Amino acid sequence: MNIDLNSDLGESFGSWHMGNDKEILKIVTSANIACGFHAGDPQGMLKTIKQAYVCGVAIGAHVSYPDLVGFGRRNMDLSYDELYADVLYQISALSGMAKSVGAEVTYVKPHGALYNTISKDLQQAQAVVDAICAFNSSLYLVALAGSPLIHFAKEKGLSVISEAFADRAYHSDGTLVSRKIDGAVLHDYDEIALRVVNMVKTGHVQSIEGHLTPIQADSICVHGDTKGALEISQKITQVLTEENISIRSFSSLKGGQ
């Protein structure tokens, strides 16, 4: 059995520091690098790209609404043209930087409110999918497992990776619990690692309502800004290894095709 581990990285901004990217990059197989719209700045983007490249970690554009103050977690009602241009700009910026060091961007993962919105709002999803296709239709799109976006993007010709979250609580319908609700973000290392193993081996996750909820995951995300993100990633890796589950980039997984 195989699984990809990804993390949101490059989210520091100027003198404001977030996460432990250098150490997490030694563990994960895919790096979702902020492109400056919700977090990150040019110097940080380039630094994270270089670190990921050295570690042999796949590089993805972590695109967002233009919302630095809200860390990309506030919904925005953008027009098609605005969102299309914003997403295309972010992919282009990260890809250009990657090319300068001999690396390449292989996938796109929307961030925060944009990620959640397009999982079900196919009007906004159209702008995101069109921007990806315009830049490079061979890029993977990472999307919420079980969401309508997966089928929609595949119909448009994209290869899609179904993603589950190690450190987030789920509702019984497979949607993520709002961060405004207590218990939405998990912190117990052992609990999180066990949940990941169950996702991979059984295809289910325990919902906040107490039900076993089906979930198909080609990639598991550990948020870089979650408290104890490094320790969580280390524990997940330990338990997956003990269960003989290989950790490798989703570019080698058949499930996302």
Side-chain angles (χ1 to χ4, degrees):
M1 302 185 74
N2 306 306
I3 193 66
D4 171 74
L5 288 183
N6 75 76
S7 188
D8 304 342
L9 304 173
E11 293 180 324
S12 298
F13 186 80
S15 61
W16 182 76
H17 180 76
M18 173 177 281
N20 191 344
D21 293 3
K22 185 176 181 180
E23 293 303 316
I24 288 181
L25 280 167
K26 297 176 182 178
I27 299 172
V28 299
T29 44
S30 297
N32 321 314
I33 300 179
C35 302
F37 272 43
H38 77 279
D41 56 34
Q43 185 177 4
M45 290 165 63
L46 185 57
K47 178 181 178 181
T48 310
I49 288 168
K50 289 178 177 179
Q51 291 175 336
Y53 184 48
V54 169
C55 291
V57 174
I59 295 170
H62 202 29
V63 301
S64 169
Y65 288 131
D67 182 27
L68 276 174
V69 174
F71 198 65
R73 288 177 176 159
R74 299 183 294 187
N75 289 320
M76 290 189 170
D77 186 19
L78 301 183
S79 69
Y80 171 92
D81 289 342
E82 287 175 311
L83 186 54
Y84 174 92
D86 284 350
V87 171
L88 183 58
Y89 178 93
Q90 292 173 81
I91 300 171
S92 301
L94 195 74
S95 295
M97 286 190 165
K99 184 178 180 180
S100 75
V101 299
E104 65 175 334
V105 171
T106 57
Y107 69 96
V108 175
K109 176 185 168 180
H111 165 81
L114 179 60
Y115 180 95
N116 290 324
T117 297
I118 66 172
S119 70
K120 54 186 181 298
D121 182 342
L122 299 185
Q123 287 188 323
Q124 286 209 16
Q126 184 75 62
V128 174
V129 169
D130 286 352
I132 296 171
C133 290
F135 184 84
N136 182 355
S137 61
S138 68
L139 294 176
Y140 288 91
L141 171 65
V142 177
L144 180 66
S147 68
L149 174 60
I150 292 177
H151 179 68
F152 177 80
K154 285 182 177 180
E155 282 191 325
K156 301 298 180 180
L158 290 179
S159 295
V160 185
I161 298 300
S162 296
E163 179 186 45
F165 291 84
D167 52 1
R168 291 295 306 279
Y170 283 85
H171 287 298
S172 296
D173 63 357
T175 59
L176 295 171
V177 175
S178 170
R179 287 178 177 269
K180 298 178 182 178
I181 299 174
D182 288 342
V185 180
L186 310 178
H187 298 284
D188 185 290
Y189 306 162
D190 294 323
E191 176 190 0
I192 291 171
L194 180 60
R195 281 166 62 90
V196 170
V197 169
N198 285 334
M199 287 179 189
V200 177
K201 296 185 75 171
T202 72
H204 290 85
V205 65
Q206 187 85 3
S207 73
I208 199 169
E209 293 86 7
H211 304 136
L212 273 181
T213 300
I215 190 165
Q216 187 233 325
D218 303 317
S219 183
I220 302 289
C221 176
V222 178
H223 285 99
D225 64 322
T226 297
K227 183 179 180 180
L230 176 59
E231 292 78 11
I232 290 171
S233 301
Q234 291 171 332
K235 186 64 177 182
I236 290 172
T237 300
Q238 174 193 329
V239 176
L240 287 174
T241 301
E242 290 172 353
E243 294 291 330
N244 295 315
I245 299 172
S246 299
I247 303 170
R248 61 179 68 171
S249 171
F250 54 67
S251 61
S252 65
L253 299 177
K254 297 180 180 179
Q257 302 296 326

